[in-house]
Amino acid sequence: MSNENQKPTSPTEQAQSSDKVSPFLNSPLPQGTPQGQQQTLQQTLTDTPVNGSVPKYNLPRGAGNTGNVGETTHFGYSTVRTEDKAQKVAEVFHSVASKYDLMNDLMSFGIHRLWKRFAINMSGVRRGQHVLDIAGGTGDLAKVFSREVGPQGHVVLSDINESMLNVGRDRLIDAGCTNVDFVLANAETLEPFADNSFDLVTISFGLRNVTDKDAALASMFRVLKPGGRLLILEFSKPVFEPFSKLYDLYSFTALPIMGKLVANDSESYKYLAESIRMHPDQRTLKGMMENAGFQNCDYHNLTAGIVAVHRGFKL
Ligand SMILES: C[S@@+](CC[C@H](N)C(=O)[O-])C[C@H]1O[C@@H](n2cnc3c(N)ncnc32)[C@H](O)[C@@H]1O
């Protein structure tokens, strides 16, 4: 009996039920490798899937927890067990994946596109380069990098969350990006990727969701080639106090309401507002990058510090 009319049950299936169906949709990530890119992917992966087995970097839901059992961390304003945070973040992004791009445009009035454009301009990406976009979700950055690096270059769109990565994979395949690979990976370990393998590593609106940010920064340093650069685009601390109050009002009232109306999920957007307030400010993050080994670190505030782009080099 055909099961075509059955409603999808899992978040992954819900994401896969979008009307744009990619030819790779039913193959497990990261085996949805665009033709011709397998060789390039092998060069940057530390492990190769053995016939029929699940590659170890193909993370199950909720995997990738770090920290000792019994320790606590923050999840927005809540305190949770460290080993539970990744699962809670996963639930947020499984829930919002199909409405993520629409919500981004609505919540930021489209300004997130300008922030991303600014970060891409700061990246100095060139033709032929190898780029890793971590926590890349629906692929906004990877899509532009794909064009900028050209056919001789290579981009990896990576995320811990299968629902988000499936949306990104469909979108980039539909856009004809043939030099992009899609890999499930935890930013904290970047286990699939070999040392010194990328010219540019980016993480856009992803770092604040990561439980162990120091471990993530160390992993980013590891996978960058000497001479490579890291760009972090993330919400930050507004620098103008009166504006900050207005911004708080907007974040804690309007965002959850919009989340409820558009994505039928106010809690995830409440988490968004809270997680932004819990993220290290500009100077703290710069210090963390320096501790991880990055040099010549700097940052640029955008929209009065609502967002900042941090940049550091592996020399
Ligand atoms: C707000 S979205 C950002 C997506 C995209 N980079 C953008 O700028 O639109 C945050 C992404 O971080 C991912 N994420 C959260 N924790 C992660 C982790 N530990 N490792 C990798 N990705 C993670 C989520 O799955 C989600 O796709």
Side-chain angles (χ1 to χ4, degrees), residues 15-18 20-28 166-167 169-170 173:
Q16 288 180 346
S17 73
S18 74
K20 291 182 179 172
V21 178
S22 105
F24 302 107
L25 206 52
N26 294 323
S27 62
N166 275 333
V167 175
R169 180 171 62 171
D170 279 3
I173 289 169

Side-chain angles (χ1 to χ4, degrees), residues 99-117:
K99 292 283 173 18
Y100 177 81
D101 289 330
L102 174 65
M103 278 299 288
N104 261 359
D105 277 334
L106 290 175
M107 288 184 308
S108 73
F109 309 104
I111 297 173
H112 75 104
R113 292 166 185 259
L114 301 179
W115 295 331
K116 286 170 179 164
R117 191 66 249 180

Side-chain angles (χ1 to χ4, degrees), residues 112 234 301 306:
H112 75 104
E234 189 51 272
N301 286 326
I306 285 186

Side-chain angles (χ1 to χ4, degrees), residues 44 119-120 122-126 129-136 141-142 145 149 154-158 185-190 193-205 207 215-233 289 294 309-314:
T44 53
I120 289 164
M122 268 184 75
S123 75
V125 67
R126 293 196 300 277
Q129 289 194 322
H130 289 236
V131 179
L132 171 64
D133 185 32
I134 300 168
L141 262 61
F145 287 138
V149 301
H154 178 236
V155 177
V156 178
L157 172 60
S158 163
N186 186 347
E188 290 171 0
T189 56
L190 296 178
F193 308 111
D195 297 357
N196 307 319
S197 48
F198 294 97
D199 303 288
L200 169 67
V201 169
T202 56
I203 179 163
S204 156
F205 301 112
L207 190 62
L217 290 168
S219 298
M220 294 172 202
F221 190 81
R222 178 183 67 75
V223 301
L224 267 176
K225 292 178 187 172
R229 66 185 70 188
L230 166 67
L231 272 188
I232 302 172
L233 176 63
M289 290 171 72
F294 288 97
V309 187
H310 283 71
R311 181 174 56 178
F313 296 81
K314 177 172 176 179

